[in-house]
Amino acid sequence: MSTQRAVRRRIAAEVGIRTLAYPIAHQRLFAGESGDHWLSAHTLLRPIHYPEFAAAGMNGSSLLKKLAWSITLLIALGHVQGAQRAVEPKAAKLVVDYLTQEKEVRPNLPNFDLVVTDDGIQGARLAIQDNNTTGRFTHQTYVLHETVVPLNGDVTAAFKKLAAADHPSILLDLPADTIAGLAALPEARDKLLYNIAASDDSLRADRCSANVLHLIPSRAMRADALAQYLLKKRWTKWLLVTGPAAEDRLYADVLKRSAKRFGIKLVEERSWTHRYDARRTAQSEVAVFTQGVDYDVLAVADEAGAFGDYLSYRTWLPRPVAGTQGLVPTAWHRTHEQWGAVQLQNRFREQARRWMSERDYAAWLAIRAIGEAATRTQSVDFTKIRAYLLSDDFSLAGFKGVPLSFRRWDHQLRQPILLAADRSLVAVAPIEGFLHPTNELDTLGYDEPESKCRFATGTKDNE
Amino acid sequence: MNKPLSLIGLIILAVVHNGLAETIFVTLEKDNALAVVDGATQTLVNSVRVGQRPRGIALGKNQRQLYIAASDDDTIQIVDTETLQVVGRLPSGKDPETFAVDPRGDFLYVSNEDDNLVTVIDIAQQKAVKEIPVGVEPEGIVVSPDGRWVVSTSETTNMAHWIDRRTLAIVANTLVDPRPRAAAFTSDSKQLWVTSEIAGSLTIIDVATKRIIKTLGFKIPGVTQEKIQPVGIRIDAKRRYGYVALGPANRVAVIDAAKLQVKDYLLVGQRVWNLEFSPDQKRLYTTNGVSNDISIIDLEWHKVLKSVAVGNYPWGVAVKP
């Protein structure tokens, strides 16, 4: 394993860009079979397409939906002889790209935290495997093509190379500015980019782009989820602590927006400016820092985790912490077990030997969305997949009890947000009682009337 | 019909029911136990320890044996229905949740969720004889009453896989709504009903063509759509009514099986999960996971008669005549 990694690193150093194709994990599915009946059967999988038929009680749905429902995949199998095995129909192949850049490990990382170098990619790999299991019945195969640009490498050049290779589905595990830059390239025009990493609301507003789908929740969605829950608890006076990073200010901004939206009082905002390692001095610093004000909840904006973890149990008044630390709004968490989530958790852990992160989950969703579209449209054709993903018929199961889909106005995936403590899932937002005329998931984040996203004409969804 | 009369009717029915001696067995997921309810008195009469996290449950040949999926023990236990002792175990593969027994009681078909497999067990030999690769997260499994088909539903692949019971090979796949949970055949083996958790729907499939006849949605005033998560299905032998447990919606949907329309919703306990008929099909028993009880529904009046507290997290139910 370590030798492989060393080789990869050397190649990366030589070529400048690390590119690996992930093998289709088929072997295990057929291992342990008694006899080769199944192996041979697999080679003869052949879907038969039925033309649309008029089924009773399906009025009101679009032609596409009817087609999707009525396509019954009849796979003729029969008894297979050795000679017939040569007749192997070619499976339709769909390549998904994963583009990321090596990240700097932040200093002062606690010793008890696992250093994760494959965040996101593992989720993508699992989804490819899941899609391939389904693909055996639809006669589609999925391949993940991973590109890891070194720390000082040129991401734009790597992206252009992928774009030229005519793989139109590209997952971007990159910061917001890079995503905005890539989406605006002429090479990106007829592509679909899947943002699995950047929560910036600007990517869904003034910097939005019709060729980008956002699988990861925006910061505003997170803040609204937290505000809904704290309002339900009637903990409506917040003291806001904001860290020095630019992202911390963005996080604080959405907390302020949510507070205003849900009638929560921001008692005061204080900036955490201590530059040294807070671990050593937290006991005295935090007590002093939180003095002189009364509030219900200490809301913290510290995305990098530089000080937020040291606030709990050290405040002047006994108050809970929520936000980037304490009670955290997130798309995925190890404490989440409902709605079959434990199955995904188990599958992921078996593969990655660690817990699934939010980014892994976003990558899994992106590739599952592609797979779902390919299954329902019975096609690996990019135009059809894109049209289906953005249509009203698209609905994705994401282990959160409700169907997930893309918001038409900014291409954000609407999804419930988990409110998780370290060892306990506290609540799932939208919280009961927060209503919306069309979809309660749209109580989280920027709703259509308030969205500042205007997709440029010419690159509009093909609806 | 006026209220007092219907009440008297229910009392008479209750008295009539007292003459019946069926036994209701309920797996208790969080108690690692099997609850035994007497059908005549409609009371909990016993609770015996079984394996860890018991979920799926079914009666075997001659009703002498009961099979219980002890999910966390990775086995299916055999319980003697008279002595209530665990008398054997079957090699189910990893984490068995749901399984089905063929009409003659010779084979057992198990969904192995984590491995994307259906395991076929020869009950007499107590041996796994075949593993059939299916879609991602197989959940619902059912054998057609005519013994022709085994159908496995996969929750992430979103298909009903049609396994020919003679060859044990998949011969067809029907794409259904997201997260299919349970499946049930009509007694004439002509229709397959499949519930989908995420879409909150019931798909009715023609067995001959494997095509969808109808997709039914559920709407209950005052209950949000996401609470409607259809799971267990039972269809009566005459195909007059079908019943669908709606999970956290705390209701059982009554479906006119001829018109394929929802006729009524019956309020039962919380998180209603699985259903089973009494042998005469005059009553329906429901397991209610969160309220820790079972509901007894009278099927002539479509009225919920009673709930019986059974223990923590009732999951599956089997009824012995």
Side-chain angles (χ1 to χ4, degrees):
Chain A
M1 200 61 200
S2 57
T3 337
Q4 272 181 15
R5 212 174 287 150
V7 170
R8 259 190 252 157
R9 285 208 184 279
R10 205 181 53 226
I11 294 170
E14 283 165 9
V15 186
I17 291 172
R18 177 146 49 105
T19 303
L20 346 145
Y22 188 68
I24 314 159
H26 253 154
Q27 311 87 302
R28 195 172 155 259
L29 295 164
F30 298 98
E33 266 304 306
S34 49
D36 62 353
H37 188 90
W38 252 95
L39 256 168
S40 49
H42 168 67
T43 60
L44 278 193
L45 289 177
R46 195 177 284 139
I48 299 166
H49 296 253
Y50 278 86
E52 195 220 343
F53 73 99
M58 279 208 262
N59 47 345
S61 51
S62 72
L63 177 69
L64 190 65
K65 191 169 187 177
K66 274 191 200 167
L67 266 172
W69 292 136
S70 58
I71 290 169
T72 297
L73 313 161
L74 268 184
I75 297 168
L77 275 177
H79 196 72
V80 184
Q81 301 299 320
Q84 287 172 280
R85 221 173 287 172
V87 194
E88 189 176 335
K90 230 175 125 111
K93 189 169 134 186
L94 201 156
V95 178
V96 181
D97 271 291
Y98 188 106
L99 177 61
T100 188
Q101 184 164 26
E102 282 180 350
K103 294 160 198 85
E104 240 168 319
V105 180
R106 87 171 168 88
N108 291 335
L109 203 67
N111 289 329
F112 48 78
D113 271 355
L114 194 74
V115 179
V116 175
T117 52
D118 52 6
D119 193 11
I121 288 184
Q122 288 282 9
R125 288 175 189 165
L126 184 65
I128 287 283
Q129 192 175 315
D130 285 353
N131 281 359
N132 275 325
T133 303
T134 300
R136 291 185 296 119
F137 306 108
T138 53
H139 211 62
Q140 293 165 335
T141 60
Y142 298 80
V143 177
L144 186 67
H145 184 246
E146 301 172 10
T147 305
V148 185
V149 180
L151 212 51
N152 304 315
D154 185 347
V155 180
T156 308
F159 178 84
K160 285 181 176 170
K161 209 174 141 193
L162 298 181
D166 201 27
H167 296 158
S169 305
I170 307 173
L171 270 61
L172 301 179
D173 174 5
L174 294 163
D177 289 344
T178 317
I179 291 177
L182 295 180
L185 292 171
E187 287 87 345
R189 192 168 297 150
D190 296 319
K191 308 280 180 282
L192 208 45
L193 313 180
Y194 299 80
N195 168 21
I196 61 151
S199 288
D200 297 55
D201 287 278
S202 68
L203 282 183
R204 289 106 171 138
D206 49 300
R207 288 203 291 175
C208 77
S209 189
N211 56 354
V212 184
L213 299 177
H214 307 279
L215 282 304
I216 195 102
S218 67
R219 287 193 181 91
M221 288 166 73
R222 296 162 199 271
D224 284 344
L226 187 61
Q228 285 186 1
Y229 179 70
L230 296 181
L231 181 59
K232 185 194 166 196
K233 295 297 295 173
R234 301 189 189 184
W235 297 347
T236 52
K237 286 186 288 176
W238 295 0
L239 170 61
L240 176 59
V241 186
T242 308
E247 296 81 45
D248 299 343
R249 279 194 293 279
L250 293 174
Y251 201 94
D253 286 347
V254 293
L255 284 174
K256 285 186 230 173
R257 171 187 172 269
S258 300
K260 206 172 153 194
R261 244 182 144 198
F262 294 103
I264 283 160
K265 192 166 184 243
L266 265 187
V267 178
E268 207 179 306
E269 182 181 358
R270 293 182 179 183
S271 299
W272 184 271
T273 50
H274 302 260
R275 286 172 180 278
Y276 43 81
D277 186 357
R279 258 172 291 188
R280 311 282 176 212
T281 51
Q283 200 59 53
S284 53
E285 296 294 343
V286 176
V288 173
F289 183 82
T290 55
Q291 256 178 352
V293 59
D294 195 9
Y295 56 96
D296 296 327
V297 175
L298 186 63
V300 55
D302 168 29
E303 291 204 347
F307 63 93
D309 286 311
Y310 308 115
L311 299 178
S312 279
Y313 310 109
R314 294 187 172 104
T315 49
W316 183 252
L317 296 171
R319 295 291 182 267
V321 173
T324 50
Q325 282 79 26
L327 181 66
V328 177
T330 179
W332 195 254
H333 198 263
R334 62 176 186 157
T335 54
H336 178 46
E337 304 186 320
Q338 263 192 84
W339 303 298
V342 79
Q343 293 161 33
L344 183 62
Q345 303 270 27
N346 286 345
R347 267 209 308 286
F348 185 87
R349 283 187 81 199
E350 197 178 312
Q351 176 194 285
R353 303 280 153 208
R354 60 172 174 82
W355 289 102
M356 187 179 220
S357 75
E358 207 186 27
R359 194 168 300 183
D360 292 313
Y361 177 65
W364 186 88
L365 283 175
I367 292 176
R368 272 296 303 132
I370 295 168
E372 184 67 12
T375 307
R376 299 285 174 191
T377 60
Q378 269 305 285
S379 172
V380 295
D381 178 73
F382 173 67
T383 322
K384 283 185 189 160
I385 287 176
R386 181 171 57 188
Y388 187 80
L389 286 176
L390 298 171
S391 75
D392 289 339
D393 295 326
F394 175 71
S395 119
L396 187 63
F399 302 92
K400 287 182 176 176
V402 290
L404 316 181
S405 54
F406 291 102
R407 289 176 181 154
R408 209 157 256 252
W409 56 91
D410 62 1
H411 289 178
Q412 169 69 52
L413 185 78
R414 46 169 77 86
Q415 57 181 302
I417 302 287
L418 312 177
L419 292 161
D422 186 33
R423 294 173 63 84
S424 161
L425 188 73
V426 177
V428 180
I431 304 295
E432 202 170 350
F434 290 89
L435 304 175
H436 189 275
T438 52
N439 189 331
E440 267 143 43
L441 292 176
D442 290 340
T443 61
L444 304 174
Y446 284 89
D447 200 359
E448 189 161 19
E450 46 184 350
S451 173
K452 289 199 179 76
C453 172
R454 300 285 174 269
F455 292 133
T457 43
T459 53
K460 192 108 182 79
D461 309 354
N462 42 347
E463 284 154 14
Chain B
M1 175 180 327
N2 62 38
K3 275 259 158 67
L5 262 185
S6 66
L7 263 180
I8 292 166
L10 287 180
I11 292 163
I12 293 168
L13 275 170
V15 171
V16 171
H17 292 166
N18 281 347
L20 305 167
E22 70 218 29
T23 310
I24 301 107
F25 296 101
V26 180
T27 48
L28 302 172
E29 189 179 350
K30 297 231 164 136
D31 279 349
N32 299 339
L34 176 72
V36 185
V37 174
D38 176 42
T41 57
Q42 301 184 337
T43 51
L44 178 71
V45 290
N46 207 344
S47 188
V48 292
R49 282 298 290 259
V50 290
Q52 291 185 71
R53 205 173 175 211
R55 293 194 281 177
I57 180 168
L59 277 165
K61 224 182 212 171
N62 310 324
Q63 329 281 345
R64 283 269 309 279
Q65 293 184 327
L66 198 58
Y67 306 114
I68 294 172
S71 300
D72 286 357
D73 287 338
D74 299 332
T75 188
I76 288 180
Q77 292 182 319
I78 307 170
V79 174
D80 185 296
T81 54
E82 295 299 326
T83 64
L84 301 178
Q85 297 291 308
V86 177
V87 292
R89 42 170 55 203
L90 298 169
S92 62
K94 242 177 86 186
D95 194 23
E97 179 181 351
T98 56
F99 59 88
V101 186
D102 76 289
R104 289 175 54 188
D106 296 331
F107 292 94
L108 210 126
Y109 304 86
V110 190
S111 299
N112 297 117
E113 242 174 3
D114 291 346
D115 295 333
N116 305 335
L117 291 173
V118 166
T119 302
V120 185
I121 299 169
D122 183 322
I123 296 170
Q125 291 186 56
Q126 305 202 353
K127 209 176 122 189
V129 291
K130 181 91 179 169
E131 285 181 345
I132 306 163
V134 290
V136 184
E137 293 168 42
E139 172 81 20
I141 188 150
V142 65
V143 184
S144 63
D146 64 6
R148 178 101 209 270
W149 301 106
V150 178
V151 166
S152 160
T153 62
S154 47
E155 288 180 308
T156 293
T157 293
N158 301 330
M159 285 179 186
H161 305 286
W162 299 80
I163 301 166
D164 185 318
R165 218 169 65 79
R166 267 182 314 113
T167 60
L168 295 180
I170 294 178
V171 296
N173 303 281
T174 307
L175 195 57
V176 294
D177 279 357
R179 276 190 88 75
R181 300 283 306 203
F185 279 95
T186 50
S187 60
D188 56 9
S189 300
K190 286 187 174 155
Q191 283 180 359
L192 176 75
W193 293 21
V194 178
T195 47
S196 290
E197 181 191 16
I198 285 288
S201 66
L202 171 73
T203 305
I204 295 153
I205 303 165
D206 177 52
V207 172
T209 60
K210 317 282 183 289
R211 289 186 197 166
I212 294 168
I213 301 168
K214 188 164 182 178
T215 303
L216 265 179
F218 302 98
K219 258 195 165 45
I220 307 166
V223 177
T224 52
Q225 280 311 110
E226 60 262 37
K227 286 242 162 89
I228 299 175
Q229 295 170 17
V231 200
I233 311 167
R234 280 293 175 269
I235 310 155
D236 68 31
K238 290 177 186 158
R239 223 216 260 181
R240 280 172 62 216
Y241 296 109
Y243 303 91
V244 176
L246 297 180
N250 307 339
R251 278 157 181 87
V252 170
V254 182
I255 290 151
D256 183 322
K259 293 181 189 154
L260 301 181
Q261 285 169 356
V262 179
K263 187 183 167 278
D264 204 357
Y265 296 102
L266 306 174
L267 184 64
V268 291
Q270 290 173 282
R271 192 182 179 265
V272 53
W273 218 237
N274 282 299
L275 310 172
E276 193 53 273
F277 284 121
S278 62
D280 59 7
Q281 302 210 337
K282 286 183 175 166
R283 286 165 307 287
L284 187 72
Y285 299 99
T286 77
T287 55
N288 313 320
V290 172
S291 51
N292 298 327
D293 52 16
I294 61 166
S295 295
I296 305 173
I297 302 172
D298 178 85
L299 297 184
E300 283 174 58
W301 300 75
H302 282 147
K303 283 256 188 296
V304 181
L305 292 176
K306 195 179 176 180
S307 59
V308 181
V310 287
N312 283 311
Y313 252 74
W315 196 97
V317 54
V319 179
K320 185 194 165 196

